Amino acid sequence: KLKVNDGDMVQVKVGDVEVRVRAHVNGTAPEGVVLLPRHLADSATPMTIEAGQVSKVSELVVEG
C-alpha cells in the first residue's frame, strides 16, 4: 500500500518511540509486517509485538 521499495526511507512510530530507517525489502516478512532490530536509535525499539504507524518519508538532501 505504501509502495516502499528497497532503500527507501521510512518512519516507524510505536508509542513514544519514533525512528527513521532505510527499508530493506526482501519478501520474507508477511505482508503488513515490519521487523526492526532493537538498536536503531538512542531508544531501543519494543521487544513485544505492537501495532504502530509506518510511513514513507522523503530524504532531505543537503548540498554544501
Side-chain angles (χ1 to χ4, degrees):
K1 291 179 182 180
L2 297 177
K3 299 189 186 319
V4 173
N5 296 306
D6 200 46
D8 288 347
M9 290 299 292
V10 295
Q11 178 174 295
V12 180
K13 183 175 181 182
V14 178
D16 295 352
V17 178
E18 185 176 306
V19 293
R20 286 189 179 203
V21 295
R22 193 162 305 278
H24 176 68
V25 180
N26 64 11
T28 58
E31 185 176 334
V33 173
V34 175
L35 305 174
L36 296 172
R38 281 278 294 149
H39 302 288
L40 292 173
D42 293 337
S43 300
T45 56
M47 289 186 68
T48 58
I49 297 172
E50 294 192 34
Q53 296 175 317
V54 177
S55 55
K56 187 174 174 179
V57 295
S58 59
E59 294 186 54
L60 177 63
V61 177
V62 178
E63 295 184 22

